[in-house]
Amino acid sequence: MTALPQTCNKTSALIHCQLLYVDDNQHAQIESLQALITEHKLPLALHTERYTDKLTQKQRQHLSQTATHPILLLDKKNTLSWLSGGLSVSPEWDKLQRRVVSAGRKSELLLQAAKITSDSRVIDATAGFGHDSLILASTGAQIVMLEQQPLMALLLLAEQQRMNALANWQKLMARLQIINTDALAYFARVNNASVSDNHKAVDAVYLDPMFPEDSYQDSKTGKGAKVGKHMQALHQLAQPPTADEELQLLQSALAVVSQNGQTSGRVIVKRPQFAPLLANQPVSESWHNEAVRFDGYFV
């Protein structure tokens, strides 16, 4: 992601957010969120407020329209969500359980493209709500999730903490490392690391950059996939990269998977079916269905 939300009040890069909670017994959970912010050095300031009214759709819409800061909601189940455009959006990883359990190359185009194993190390450079990271981690691979937006990073960290309390999710959660950082800055650190650092080679980099909303449809027929609420929210938070930024992102990612003479690394780019190639660069191989396309760039 490439831009801060327009509703953020930035002072020395500090983002002020309003956190609405519904129960006085949630103070421990609020303290836990504050601890995550401190531990991961997120530039966020939470301003908490007990919300006593029932949050109807009409009230959510009103809050979205009148807010001067981003609004986070902590519901009765202690699920943290972000109020965007009248919609409460959160990672909702538990809803992916069946898909994660049954994930394999036959059912998941992403895994066909990535061709990773339990020994692989993967960087998801544009984590978003983390759904694709879960699919990648289902293989047993270690996944580094990069998320530039502090607000999104907090949602991911809170979701990881929530799911880690469930015994059947703990092994998967242990394979995810969430970092609030810019992808290009992280790539630069990896590429500048010396061989003596003994860091494990990166087998694959996954890129799912923002793209114009009209990329979801065929310009000639008007057919294409509908934009879900999670993607609608991301469009509120970030802007698509420029052509120059796309090229820099792709070249830096390829450098990461080419380190130390590695010859089997690959970069996988997710695009809507009808979107142009990233930075107009030719691909090594492509996998697609009627809604989405995964473009592979091989070392």
Side-chain angles (χ1 to χ4, degrees), residues 190-201 259-261:
V190 172
N191 286 326
N192 289 334
S194 65
V195 178
S196 60
D197 290 337
N198 291 322
H199 62 280
K200 189 178 185 299
Q259 267 200 322
N260 304 333

Side-chain angles (χ1 to χ4, degrees), residues 47-62:
H47 304 278
T48 60
E49 178 184 341
R50 168 79 188 279
Y51 197 81
T52 55
D53 296 331
K54 186 176 181 180
L55 268 175
T56 64
Q57 180 57 39
K58 185 176 181 180
Q59 286 174 313
R60 292 173 194 265
Q61 193 68 45
H62 176 72

Side-chain angles (χ1 to χ4, degrees), residues 59-176:
Q59 286 174 313
R60 292 173 194 265
Q61 193 68 45
H62 176 72
L63 285 170
S64 293
Q65 292 172 346
T66 58
T68 56
H69 309 304
I71 298 178
L72 296 172
L73 304 176
L74 193 61
D75 67 15
K76 291 181 179 179
K77 295 181 179 180
N78 285 330
T79 299
L80 185 69
S81 62
W82 168 39
L83 189 62
S84 172
L87 298 172
S88 296
V89 289
S90 63
E92 300 179 301
W93 287 353
D94 48 335
K95 292 185 177 181
L96 295 175
Q97 180 168 352
R98 180 176 297 181
R99 186 178 166 198
V100 169
V101 169
S102 62
R105 292 186 184 178
K106 289 185 177 180
S107 61
E108 296 289 343
L109 281 179
L110 173 55
L111 298 184
Q112 291 178 31
K115 287 184 170 58
I116 55 176
T117 69
S118 59
D119 295 323
S120 299
R121 181 174 180 232
V122 181
I123 297 174
D124 181 351
T126 46
F129 286 97
H131 296 170
D132 289 333
S133 286
L134 292 189
I135 300 302
L136 292 166
S138 71
T139 63
Q142 298 292 319
I143 313 298
V144 177
M145 301 169 62
L146 308 182
E147 178 47 56
Q148 181 179 349
Q149 297 296 337
L151 183 68
M152 289 299 304
L154 179 60
L155 288 176
L156 291 172
L157 289 164
E159 187 72 354
Q160 184 184 38
Q161 187 178 73
R162 183 177 78 92
M163 300 305 293
N164 199 46
L166 306 176
N168 59 327
W169 282 84
Q170 288 172 355
K171 288 184 179 180
L172 184 65
M173 292 301 101
R175 295 197 289 271
L176 304 177

